Amino acid sequence: MNRYANRSLFLSLLFVLFVTLSFAQQTAKKNQPITITLPAKSHVRIDFGAEKLKQALQGAGYQVTVAKSNVARAQNSSINLAVRTGNGLKKEAFSIQKNAQKPLSVLGNDASGVLYGCLELAEQIKKTGKLPETINLNDGPEMVLRGTCIGVQKPTYLPGRDVYEYPYTPETFPWLYDKALWIRYLDMMVENRYNSLYLWNGHPFASLVRVKEYPYAVEVDDATFKKNEEMYRFLTQEADKRGIWVIQMFYNIIVSKPFAEHHKIKTQDRNRPIVPLIADYTRKSIAAFVEKYPNVGLLIALGEAMEGVGQDDVEWFTQTIIPGVKDGLKALGKTEEPPLVLRAHDTDAPRVMKAALPIYKNLYTEAKFNGEALTTYEPRGQWADLHRTLSNIGTVQIENVHILANLEPFRYGSADFIQKSVGAMHSIYGANGLHLYPQASYWDWPYTADKTSPRLLQLDRDWIWYKTWGRYAWKAGRDRPMEVNYWGNQLAQKYGLSTEKGKDVLEAYEQAGEIEPKLLRRYGITDGNRQTLTLGMLMTQLINPFRYGLFTLMYESEAPEGEMIIEYAEKDWNKQKHIGETPVQIADEVIEHGKKAVAAIDKAAGTVTKDKAEFDRLKNDVYCQNALANFYAEKARAAVAVLRYKYSNDVRDLEKAVPLLERSVKHFTELTNLTRDTYLYANSMQTKQRKIPMRGVDATFITWAEMLPVYQKELDRFKHVIDSLKTTTNTVAKQPIPLKPATVTLQSPTVDMYALEKGQRVFADTSVTISDLAPELKQLKGLKLAKAKQQSERTSLIFSTTQPVKLLIGFFNEKNPRYLPAPELETDASANDYGQSEIKISNAILVDGMPPVNVHAYSFKPGQHTLNLGKGACLLLGFMDGNQEIPISDAGLAGNKKNIDWLFE
């Protein structure tokens, strides 16, 4: 949609365009004809709005014709629709006026305003069955951008490809070429007043444009390429009619597979430097895209596929991306800039924007509202500071409601939670835009996870998700009692209920809508999609979350002030005062929410007269969420009892946890039974990125039936250990098994080796030494690198091996630019390419004057290898036998960190 081109046109209008509905009398009778008169050169959005108005009038019994004319009619016996500047209306706003002395008029400051005015009038006609005799309505959106997104991606990787690499083809994405489905989706968007559509893909350019210097880079055949061109033009034209701006997202730095194969490089490598070849290819791809699709915006993800925060981000944005856009404009002979949205994920967005604004003005920023989840409408801390900083730059900050990994796959429609969330976007973050992900099954668009035949569409199932966010993006500060009535009526119409019964359904949605947000923010490991909340959590994940890469920002910024389970247990033992929201409090609250949700949905169930199959699925979801709440509540209480044993060494504390854990497994059994015949999966991302509760390699551990035996085994192990502790008085501690060294041929760099022993220097250019280390490391030989060089340049290793090996790398446990960041799937999609994302030995080494070291393992098959790491100090602790398993443990060198994970594994 050519929004940026039309903006200056509308601001320079010095005349009025009238669209007139004329009747024979002031109070028209339905059997009398009405003519809708449009300007001869009206915008496509006005044409579209007039057509919707015509359909509403015809539905109410009026005889309607549409004509175009340069003559504006303003008689008292008319209804006038007009685009008019200087009327005090904001962008996209409208005014509908009618009294006894004047004709009914709909005014907009731009074509979108007239469109929305037509839609509002059409809705009133449908509701009342007639044109209003008097009306005085002024309305307009609060948020500048109100958008939804569709991922042109899949639940699993394509053969021979990596994450995010999905060419646009009919075989991979048949829905992409379904024009009827697109029309339905775009109609939903305009009905809910969305004005932007984001398409997410890793490297879309090689499916949509040809770069003459790199003809071999195209990823699709000629026939598919033509289909893609035709579909993209169709989509953008249909979107423009509805006032919707299409925005194509892409990741950096990814190149097409044929381009990579031609140049014998990887399609993506987060830690490689910016090289001229890739920069030139990317710049020319963007230029070709802008030249071919000048009315499409771009959303740029600087992080994730290239090294995160740093000067590279600034240079890539200002020296590759923006010049590419300008090259495309120059080829077109245009100067008006298409909008660019900078995604703040894994980049220093304020720094990038400071460098970019002097050379490009039409910029926006975007950041995740609650990470990749929905946890709170009271964000705070460091994350809130970032959003406020972005909002204060002077451009529009867009809030991204992203992935929703804690909600999927169950239905979500809490109008109260969503309204408060949008309010927080304004009042806490200072934002003025919404970028909305699907409520569930993002990676499996357009389908839901429901086990039905035919499969349900997200567009249909999650209608209330789109409607609520759209309503509050338009206006957040609506009166709560009025909203209860509004949604009660909406749900009553949906299911053929009385308004009061509709309110019962709303109550079920809103009570259930508190459960998953509270569970994740108090018990979870991460706000990212490596965790599937609804599949539960292992006991070790509750009692030792740091072992699993705890993402502390979730607790510090995306939750009210409160305590984790491990903090609560320690305070409880030390008889210290608890602070804020506690795990036990949340256990009580989610159980109550579940009870109320079930009671409310049961009250409505007996009187449903419409769409009963969908109501039954909604009811089952409420029962699922109730079972989930009880599962977590009992398991959290059991975790608190188990952690008490950590301090007391009293087996009776463990015995108190047994009935709690038994009830937890019982509730998970109920959840399994409720989902067995109703859901295909819990999580739509079914790749190695999935880690919690279990690794999701090759679409495994994606159902509750797969997880139930894991939890039963956990319980059985726990009971067995308690029996052993009660019958054995002198338990001998398990001795760590030494890790076996392996020999590799190291081509680069040339370095000295050192024994992993106390007193050994770990860097070539400093005198710091090992003061303590985990005993299982003592047979290995470390690589002595220069710390200063690690901090100024990327560490790169070239080696060959004739056997499977693991390279152990020690990461200093402190977030600091001086230290290489540990692999983290929240920000780096490649963080588990070598199986390295999990900490193998926590607190494994102490180095004088430096933070404790956690050990990760990188696995390699026989052959030649190049490993690129980012900038920052780390310890290369040597190669070991790749076939030897490394028992996950905490060496406890950083203080009194007694490990009790052995109780469950």
Side-chain angles (χ1 to χ4, degrees), residues 345-419:
H345 180 69
D346 194 29
T347 189
D348 187 346
R351 178 182 177 183
V352 175
M353 288 289 284
K354 183 178 179 181
L357 277 168
I359 61 174
Y360 200 93
K361 300 304 179 188
N362 200 8
L363 295 175
Y364 299 76
T365 56
E366 177 256 35
K368 297 173 183 175
F369 176 60
N370 284 165
E372 297 177 343
L374 189 63
T375 56
T376 186
Y377 43 78
E378 296 176 325
R380 61 192 178 94
Q382 175 186 340
W383 197 238
D385 290 341
L386 170 64
H387 286 248
R388 283 191 288 266
T389 299
L390 295 173
S391 296
N392 290 333
I393 287 173
T395 56
V396 173
Q397 160 62 12
I398 303 165
E399 292 303 320
N400 179 203
V401 180
H402 194 90
I403 292 292
L404 293 313
N406 64 324
L407 303 186
E408 69 173 352
F410 306 129
R411 289 155 177 78
Y412 191 93
S414 175
D416 183 47
F417 203 106
I418 292 171
Q419 183 178 15

Side-chain angles (χ1 to χ4, degrees), residues 532-569:
T532 306
L533 179 85
T534 55
L535 285 178
M537 291 174 65
L538 305 178
M539 184 61 88
T540 53
Q541 289 163 351
L542 296 177
I543 65 173
N544 188 10
F546 286 100
R547 164 181 160 184
Y548 296 90
L550 179 68
F551 192 62
T552 55
L553 182 70
M554 177 175 66
Y555 287 93
E556 295 161 358
S557 289
E558 298 160 8
E561 185 178 20
E563 299 170 1
M564 293 183 289
I565 291 175
I566 54 175
E567 294 171 324
Y568 180 89

Side-chain angles (χ1 to χ4, degrees), residues 40-52:
K41 294 183 178 180
S42 59
H43 194 283
V44 290
R45 284 175 228 153
I46 298 176
D47 295 346
F48 185 85
E51 180 60 28
K52 292 296 182 183

Side-chain angles (χ1 to χ4, degrees), residues 498-514:
S498 68
T499 300
E500 288 308 306
K501 294 296 182 183
K503 290 179 182 178
D504 288 333
V505 179
L506 176 64
E507 173 73 1
Y509 264 127
E510 294 191 336
Q511 290 294 338
E514 294 286 338

Side-chain angles (χ1 to χ4, degrees), residues 687-805:
T687 67
K688 59 187 177 182
Q689 270 73 24
R690 289 289 188 183
K691 302 287 288 183
I692 300 164
M694 301 289 285
R695 290 190 65 201
V697 179
D698 298 327
T700 54
F701 293 105
I702 62 173
T703 67
W704 298 266
E706 289 173 284
M707 285 305 306
L708 180 58
V710 175
Y711 295 131
Q712 184 61 57
K713 182 179 179 181
E714 190 179 57
L715 173 61
D716 294 342
R717 162 71 182 175
F718 185 53
K719 289 180 177 179
H720 174 75
V721 169
I722 290 175
D723 288 341
S724 298
L725 289 171
K726 289 166 67 175
T727 56
T728 306
T729 54
N730 296 314
T731 304
V732 179
K734 224 182 205 182
Q735 294 300 312
I737 300 172
L739 302 179
K740 302 173 187 175
T743 301
V744 304
T745 302
L746 186 63
Q747 280 98 31
S748 176
T750 301
V751 294
D752 292 332
M753 311 294 284
Y754 67 94
L756 294 187
E757 298 174 353
K758 291 182 182 180
Q760 286 284 344
R761 288 171 54 198
V762 294
F763 295 113
D765 58 344
T766 74
S767 59
V768 296
T769 62
I770 296 173
S771 59
D772 204 355
L773 77 163
E776 52 264 54
L777 299 173
K778 290 184 177 180
Q779 292 185 11
L780 301 182
K781 300 286 186 182
L783 284 66
K784 192 175 291 184
L785 302 176
K787 179 183 174 186
K789 189 173 182 181
Q790 281 190 314
Q791 292 172 337
S792 62
E793 301 176 16
R794 292 175 176 84
T795 298
S796 184
L797 215 62
I798 302 174
F799 65 94
S800 60
T801 175
T802 58
Q803 66 182 82
V805 296

Side-chain angles (χ1 to χ4, degrees), residues 25-26 64 101 205 274 293 305 382 395 466 668-669 674 844:
Q25 300 176 358
Q26 182 69 25
V64 186
Q101 287 73 41
F205 306 115
I274 296 174
Y293 306 105
Q382 175 186 340
T395 56
Y466 292 108
F668 199 85
T669 303
L674 288 167

